[in-house]
Amino acid sequence: MPLMKQLENKTYILIGAGNMAKYLLANANAALTCMGIYSRSPEKAALLSQTYGITLIPTLSEINTITVDYIFLAVSDTAIPTLLNSIDSSALCVSFSGMIDEQHLAQETGKSMATLWPIYSITNKLNSKTNLPFVINKEDVKNKSAMSALARYYTTSVIELSYEQRKAAHLAAVVLNNFVNHLYALTQEFCATQGIDPLIFNPLVQQTADQYATLQATLLQTGPAKRGDQESIEKHLAILQNTHLESIYTLLTDSIKKSS
């Protein structure tokens, strides 16, 4: 059966009103209909209800009276177990988490559950139709076909990983995105103290990102730690003395030395 054929007349309820919920609604069309939105933050849910012309569900218990194919759990990982225990529905509950063990939760709660995890940082600026890579659970034999079809509605890049692989991928994503972004922030703060425009490094940042795409990051490593230039390292540490960035610089420098 063609993938889009599988999605015809499919319906869902959306729980959550944060960035993930906004992304899902911004990518909606007639093939997948939202029958209502519920959130613990009624003001945010009401705003999305008005923006996208969908029904506002006032209470969690009212979800149990609505027949749908899916219930999208666009909420934090910690909120998912409680929600599952509060929902009395035969709909397939879909999380968007990199870390939740959906099969274990399904056994614990007796609910039908699957995961559709985007390998992307979903922010409030991501409100247009952006093609993101989505991960589905290759071990979930029962729901894999349905999730593959659902994923392909949002993306052309569907990746099948086991739960253990997805957890590892989530860790890698944290290092690549959150940790690197933190280094960006620290660098921008440092530049401000030195009277340097941080935007002059834009070409360098792009070059570094491009190197990752070649899968040759180790081979393309440069800098004083790679060269064994201890004199430059000592000069850098003198500038950073007694700052938060000093310990981070030392840690990463030592790591590069060990990898060289």
Side-chain angles (χ1 to χ4, degrees):
M1 182 184 295
L3 289 173
M4 290 310 296
K5 185 71 175 179
Q6 294 181 40
L7 285 176
E8 283 185 2
N9 303 316
K10 297 294 184 180
T11 57
Y12 72 97
I13 287 173
L14 178 59
I15 300 180
N19 293 333
M20 189 70 230
K22 293 175 186 177
Y23 173 81
L24 294 168
L25 290 172
N27 284 271
N29 74 12
L32 191 63
T33 303
C34 183
M35 301 300 290
I37 180 172
Y38 167 81
S39 172
R40 291 183 302 176
S41 302
E43 298 83 6
K44 292 182 179 180
L47 180 59
L48 291 181
S49 170
Q50 295 169 5
T51 301
Y52 293 98
I54 55 179
T55 301
L56 179 64
I57 301 175
T59 63
L60 191 58
S61 60
E62 191 168 323
I63 290 175
N64 301 330
T65 67
I66 306 172
T67 300
V68 290
D69 298 292
Y70 306 107
I71 296 178
F72 287 176
L73 305 175
V75 297
S76 67
D77 289 8
T78 54
I80 289 177
T82 300
L83 281 173
L84 289 175
N85 284 315
S86 302
I87 294 170
D88 183 16
S89 172
S90 60
L92 178 60
C93 297
V94 180
S95 89
F96 302 89
S97 166
M99 296 297 286
I100 281 287
D101 185 347
E102 72 277 14
Q103 292 189 312
H104 176 71
L105 275 177
Q107 292 174 355
E108 277 195 338
T109 62
K111 302 298 190 302
S112 181
M113 188 173 180
T115 289
L116 186 63
W117 175 54
I119 307 181
Y120 207 83
S121 181
I122 308 297
T123 69
N124 59 9
K125 297 183 183 299
L126 187 68
N127 55 10
S128 59
K129 291 185 180 296
T130 304
N131 187 52
L132 310 182
F134 276 88
V135 173
I136 62 174
N137 191 338
K138 69 179 180 182
E139 301 166 316
D140 186 2
V141 177
K142 178 181 177 182
N143 299 308
K144 188 162 65 171
S145 176
M147 293 308 297
S148 179
L150 186 59
R152 290 187 185 282
Y153 170 70
Y154 291 102
T155 183
T156 58
S157 177
V158 182
I159 303 162
E160 293 186 16
L161 297 178
S162 69
Y163 172 58
E164 293 300 323
Q165 288 176 319
R166 175 159 39 96
K167 284 194 299 181
H170 189 273
L171 169 58
V174 167
V175 174
L176 286 170
N177 182 47
N178 305 138
F179 287 6
V180 171
N181 187 72
H182 183 58
L183 291 176
Y184 288 163
L186 291 177
T187 303
Q188 290 171 354
E189 291 171 5
F190 172 74
C191 287
T193 67
Q194 303 296 312
I196 301 170
D197 180 2
L199 296 182
I200 66 174
F201 301 107
N202 278 0
L204 179 61
V205 170
Q206 185 60 55
Q207 179 191 32
T208 306
D210 289 343
Q211 287 177 190
Y212 181 84
T214 68
L215 297 179
Q216 296 183 22
T218 298
L219 299 178
L220 297 173
Q221 183 71 54
T222 62
K226 176 67 176 180
R227 297 191 304 269
D229 183 358
Q230 193 60 34
E231 183 177 350
S232 291
I233 292 171
E234 294 299 332
K235 288 179 179 179
H236 288 168
L237 289 172
I239 297 171
L240 297 173
Q241 191 172 11
N242 299 321
T243 67
H244 176 52
L245 195 52
E246 180 185 13
S247 60
I248 295 176
Y249 180 98
T250 300
L251 178 66
L252 293 178
T253 294
D254 289 344
S255 181
I256 293 171
K257 286 180 178 179
K258 291 176 182 177
S259 300
S260 299

